[in-house]
Every structure is written in C-alpha cells, then in structure tokens.
C-alpha cells in the first residue's frame, strides 16, 4: 500500500496519479510550519485531538507533495478555491497550473492524490456502522436494494464502498455535495467500480473513471478522474513527513523535497 520511494518526490508522468498515504500518527507540531494561516486556524478550532492530528497530517502532506511538484515552498504554496455553483471563495482547493490535487482523511488514514493534466478526486473512509436514514439519503434505489441483500455483517463495508466511490466522483468534478449523492448510481460493492448513471442536469460532459484503492485494514478508498483515465501509484507519505520533521528539527526551517535531479517539476 505504501510502496514507492520514501525519499524525494518523483516527477509526475502523464497518465499516472500519485497516491501518498499517511497516518494520523504522523502528526507533529513542527508540521504546522507547512500550513497556511487558514489551515492553522481551522486546526485550532478542532476540539478532538484525533481530528486535529488528521487535519494537520493531511494538509501538511498535501502541501509538501504539491509544493515539490511545482517547485515552491510548501509553506508558500498558494491554493485557491472557487465554488463551481456560486463562484464564491470555497470549494475544491486548487494549486496553480495543470496539477490536479485532492486529499481525504478518516479514521487513522490520510491520502493525498496528485496528477498532471487531469481533474481527480480521492476519498478514504473508516468502515463503521451506519444509520439507515443515511443510506436512504445518499444511495439510489438500486443501490439500497443491493445493500439490503448483503449479509448483515457485510453491510457497513458495502455502504462505505458505495460512499467512497460517490465522494471521489463528486470531488473529481468539483461539485462536492452540492450534487446529491443519490443522483449517482455506481456498481455494486463487489463489482468493478464504474459510474452507471448520473441523474439531473449537472452531469459532466467528460467521461468519469473510477478506481477502488487499498486503504489498509478497517478502511476503504476510491479514486476518480475526469476525462482521461489514470494509473494509481502508491507512495509512502509517512516517510516523507518524517523526513520533513527531522529536517525542521535539525535546521529550524523547512526545505521541501524536490523531484529527482534528472526530472523537472510540473510546469505552472
């Protein structure tokens, strides 16, 4: 799951999507130096230590990886968000240039996805019991029927499989939960991931590609890309953050990992 380099961030190749996996256990106070003011303020508002650890790990890892690809300091990386619906300053965070970026965290897992020239969305969720009204609200009729037909012990994982696929798709399109998830119909939990239908006027004009990911014990995850397909490639985000913390402790400053010397960063 965390195969790949633990050293410098390798350059992105067209048609691939790097998946950087980390854990809430990777949170360290020195990583706060990688966050912008808004992310630090949000972290400070979180009351639960576990939630703060996930937030810190996810934002630090996203900024470290994206900054390395763009050749800028993670602490100075600019991410903008513009709502697809109203144009307001909220929605999917985006770096400059052609770099696609998405991240997610749940339970103990953090994942950051990056690709060049593709809109992507990633979601990871801890497998946990769910309320019946939640399934009624986010699943379409055929999906609810499939879920009800599963043996009861398999229903939590089945629901999470449905949810991660839908969340990844809506992140890739930039719609988020402004599009009700029940308007999307995806394949059954044990079937190859695929979007079967998208009801309503907000259906994207480009094809959507969907992938199930190995998120480790107790978690499920999915990746989606809009337009062209991508090849998911996992990397060790825990080692990347540990190296950043060690360097910060030794020098008092952050120096970001850069692509291999023979590679060039993604052009802005």
């Amino acid at each position: 799951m965390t195969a790949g380099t633990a050293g410098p961030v390798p350059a992105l190749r067209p048609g691939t999507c790097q998946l950087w996996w980390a854990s809430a256990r990777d949170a360290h106070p020195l990583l706060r130096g990688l966050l912008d003011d808004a992310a630090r303020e949000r972290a400070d508002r979180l009351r639960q230590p576990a939630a703060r650890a996930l937030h810190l790990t996810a934002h630090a890892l996203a900024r470290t990886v994206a900054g390395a690809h763009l050749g800028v300091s993670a602490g100075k990386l600019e991410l903008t968000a513009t709502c697809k619906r109203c144009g307001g300053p909220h929605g999917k965070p985006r770096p400059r240039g052609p770099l696609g970026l998405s991240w997610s965290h749940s339970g103990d897992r953090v994942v950051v996805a990056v690709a060049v020239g593709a809109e992507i969305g990633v979601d990871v969720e801890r497998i946990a019991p769910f309320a019946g009204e939640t399934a009624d609200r986010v699943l379409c009729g055929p999906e609810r029927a499939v879920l009800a037909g599963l043996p009861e012990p398999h229903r939590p994982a089945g629901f999470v499989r449905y949810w991660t696929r839908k969340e990844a798709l809506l992140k890739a399109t930039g719609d988020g939960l402004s599009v009700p998830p029940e308007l999307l119909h995806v394949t059954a939990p044990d079937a190859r991931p695929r979007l079967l239908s998208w009801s309503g006027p907000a259906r994207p004009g480009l094809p959507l590609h969907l992938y199930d990911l190995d998120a480790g014990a107790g978690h499920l995850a999915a990746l989606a890309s809009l337009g062209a397909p991508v090849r998911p490639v996992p990397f060790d985000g825990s080692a990347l953050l540990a190296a950043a913390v060690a360097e910060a402790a030794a020098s008092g400053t952050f120096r970001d990992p850069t692509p291999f010397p023979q590679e060039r960063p993604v052009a802005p």
Side-chain angles (χ1 to χ4, degrees):
M1 177 178 55
T2 53
T5 180
V9 175
L12 276 166
R13 297 298 186 187
T16 65
C17 178
Q18 293 182 357
L19 297 166
W20 292 85
W21 292 93
S23 162
R25 296 185 297 273
D26 299 320
H28 190 284
L30 287 176
L31 294 177
R32 285 176 57 89
L34 295 178
L35 275 57
D36 60 14
D37 292 340
R40 281 192 291 268
E41 291 171 2
R42 287 195 297 273
D44 293 340
R45 289 196 298 267
L46 296 172
R47 296 184 177 182
Q48 297 297 326
R52 287 198 302 272
L54 280 172
H55 177 92
L56 174 59
T57 302
H59 282 258
L61 183 58
R63 297 180 70 86
T64 297
V65 173
H69 283 303
L70 293 170
V72 300
S73 165
K76 295 180 180 179
L77 177 70
E78 293 185 7
L79 296 176
T80 60
T82 303
C83 178
K84 184 177 178 179
R85 301 295 174 188
C86 70
H90 55 90
K92 182 179 181 179
R94 299 176 182 274
R96 60 183 173 86
L99 189 70
L101 173 67
S102 181
W103 68 82
S104 179
H105 56 76
S106 178
D108 185 53
R109 303 299 287 149
V110 171
V111 60
V112 172
V114 287
V116 61
E119 293 291 345
I120 54 173
V122 71
D123 188 56
V124 62
E125 299 290 340
R126 181 175 66 89
I127 300 172
F130 64 94
E133 55 267 27
T134 302
D136 292 341
R137 189 172 66 252
V138 304
L139 301 184
C140 65
E143 293 168 340
R144 293 196 299 271
V146 169
L147 191 66
L150 294 177
E152 188 170 352
H154 296 170
R155 289 176 193 167
F159 174 77
V160 173
R161 181 65 81 192
Y162 273 132
W163 176 253
T164 56
R165 291 174 177 177
K166 293 183 178 219
E167 181 80 355
L169 288 165
L170 292 172
K171 285 184 174 182
T173 63
D175 290 294
L177 295 182
S178 66
V179 170
E182 67 267 25
L183 295 182
L184 280 63
H185 180 195
V186 299
T187 46
D190 60 349
R192 183 175 65 87
R194 188 163 57 92
L195 175 67
L196 297 175
S197 66
W198 181 307
S199 304
R203 181 182 176 90
L206 295 174
L208 283 159
H209 306 273
L210 193 56
Y211 313 87
D212 289 335
L213 305 175
D214 177 7
H219 298 75
L220 293 173
L223 171 72
S225 65
L226 176 62
V230 294
R231 181 173 63 90
V233 182
F235 290 88
D236 192 342
S238 296
L240 194 65
L241 291 178
V245 169
E247 187 167 357
S251 66
T253 59
F254 279 94
R255 187 173 71 246
D256 297 308
T258 55
F260 290 140
Q262 67 270 27
E263 307 286 4
R264 297 183 62 185
V266 175

